[in-house]
C-alpha cells in the first residue's frame, strides 16, 4: 500500500507543470522605437524579436513597455509599474527623445544611471541599448551623448548593445516618412541584428 501511494504521488508530481520550464519574462522599457510608432502592434520591436528568438529555439516572453514620446525621466517615473514583480530581465531603450530635445547629456546619463541602479537593487539584470546623437547637434554634444551608454555599461557591469538603430538610421527605405521611426522592414532589420546579443543576455539570466 505504501509503495502504491509513493508511486501515485510521484506520478502526480510529474504531471504538475514545471515552473522551471516557463520562459523568462523580459520587459522592453523604451519609447516610440519600442512601442512601434505608426505600425500594427504585432510589427513592433518586442513581438518581432520574440518571434525571431522562438525560431532559434529560444523561449522568452517579451513585454512591450514602450511609450511614445518618453524621455529617460518619463521612463524613470513609470519604472515601478512598467517593470512588475517577477520580471527576470529588462532591455532598456531610452534617451532618443532626450537627444532630439537637445537635453543635457549629463541629465540623461544621471537618469539612466538611476534606472539601472533601481533595477539592480531589485536583482533584475539589464541589457542597455545605446543611442547616438544626430551629427547636426555639434561635435561636443555628439561626443558627450554617445559616451552615455558605454560609460554606464562599464560602470554597472551590464550588457550593452551599442546602437539600436544601427544600419537603419538615415536610410529612407527603412524609415517612415518622418525619418525617425523604422518601417516594419526596419524593425525586422533591428531585431535581426540584436538577436545574438539578446540571446546571450537570456542565457546569462539566473534560473528561477
Amino acid at each position: 500500500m505504501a509503495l502504491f501511494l509513493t508511486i501515485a504521488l510521484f506520478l502526480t508530481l510529474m504531471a504538475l507543470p514545471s515552473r522551471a520550464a516557463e520562459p523568462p519574462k523580459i520587459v522592453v522599457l523604451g519609447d516610440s522605437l519600442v512601442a512601434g510608432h505608426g505600425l500594427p502592434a504585432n510589427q513592433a520591436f518586442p513581438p518581432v524579436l520574440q518571434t525571431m528568438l522562438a525560431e532559434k529555439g529560444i523561449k522568452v516572453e517579451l513585454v512591450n513597455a514602450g511609450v511614445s514620446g518618453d524621455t529617460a525621466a518619463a521612463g524613470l517615473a513609470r519604472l515601478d509599474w512598467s517593470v512588475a514583480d517577477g520580471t527576470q530581465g529588462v532591455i532598456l531603450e531610452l534617451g532618443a527623445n532626450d537627444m532630439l530635445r537637445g537635453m543635457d547629456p549629463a541629465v540623461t546619463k544621471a537618469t539612466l544611471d538611476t534606472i539601472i541602479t533601481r533595477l539592480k537593487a531589485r536583482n533584475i539584470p539589464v541589457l542597455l541599448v545605446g543611442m547616438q546623437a544626430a551629427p547636426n547637434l555639434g561635435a561636443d554634444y555628439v561626443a558627450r551623448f554617445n559616451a552615455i551608454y558605454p560609460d554606464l555599461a562599464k560602470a554597472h557591469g551590464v550588457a550593452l548593445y551599442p546602437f539600436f538603430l544601427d544600419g537603419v538610421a538615415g536610410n529612407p527605405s527603412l524609415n517612415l516618412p518622418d525619418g525617425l521611426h523604422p518601417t516594419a522592414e526596419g524593425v525586422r532589420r533591428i531585431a535581426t541584428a540584436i538577436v545574438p546579443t539578446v540571446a546571450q543576455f537570456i542565457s546569462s539570466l539566473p534560473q528561477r
Side-chain angles (χ1 to χ4, degrees), residues 43-168:
Q43 293 181 7
F45 171 71
V48 171
L49 177 60
Q50 181 170 319
T51 297
M52 289 185 176
L53 289 165
E55 290 170 350
K56 294 183 176 295
I58 302 172
K59 295 181 179 180
V60 64
E61 178 188 354
L62 294 181
V63 178
N64 189 341
V67 175
S68 294
D70 260 13
T71 59
L76 174 60
R78 63 182 174 90
L79 180 63
D80 291 338
W81 61 264
S82 290
V83 182
D85 291 341
T87 298
Q88 291 168 259
V90 167
I91 298 175
L92 177 58
E93 179 279 310
L94 283 168
N97 287 313
D98 300 56
M99 178 269 296
L100 291 173
R101 298 180 187 187
M103 295 174 62
D104 185 349
V107 174
T108 302
K109 182 178 182 179
T111 305
L112 291 173
D113 181 88
T114 300
I115 292 174
I116 297 171
T117 298
R118 284 174 54 175
L119 290 172
K120 289 178 68 178
R122 295 173 60 188
N123 295 314
I124 300 176
V126 176
L127 168 57
L128 181 61
V129 176
M131 285 292 152
Q132 292 185 4
N136 64 348
L137 292 172
D140 177 68
Y141 188 94
V142 169
R144 293 171 60 216
F145 184 87
N146 291 359
I148 290 173
Y149 301 91
D151 285 355
L152 286 175
K154 182 178 180 180
H156 286 280
V158 300
L160 173 68
Y161 184 75
F163 183 32
F164 186 72
L165 297 173
D166 189 26
V168 173

Side-chain angles (χ1 to χ4, degrees), residues 4 26 39 41 65 68 162 170 206:
F4 174 78
I26 297 177
L39 299 173
S68 294

Side-chain angles (χ1 to χ4, degrees), residues 185-203:
E185 177 58 28
V187 171
R188 286 192 291 271
R189 295 284 186 93
I190 293 167
T192 298
I194 202 173
V195 158
T197 302
V198 175
Q200 184 175 5
F201 177 63
I202 293 171
S203 69

Side-chain angles (χ1 to χ4, degrees), residues 4-30:
F4 174 78
L5 291 175
T6 300
I7 293 174
L9 177 60
F10 174 75
L11 292 175
T12 300
L13 291 173
M14 289 292 292
L16 292 174
S18 171
R19 292 187 61 83
E22 295 178 0
K25 178 181 177 181
I26 297 177
V27 172
V28 188
L29 182 67

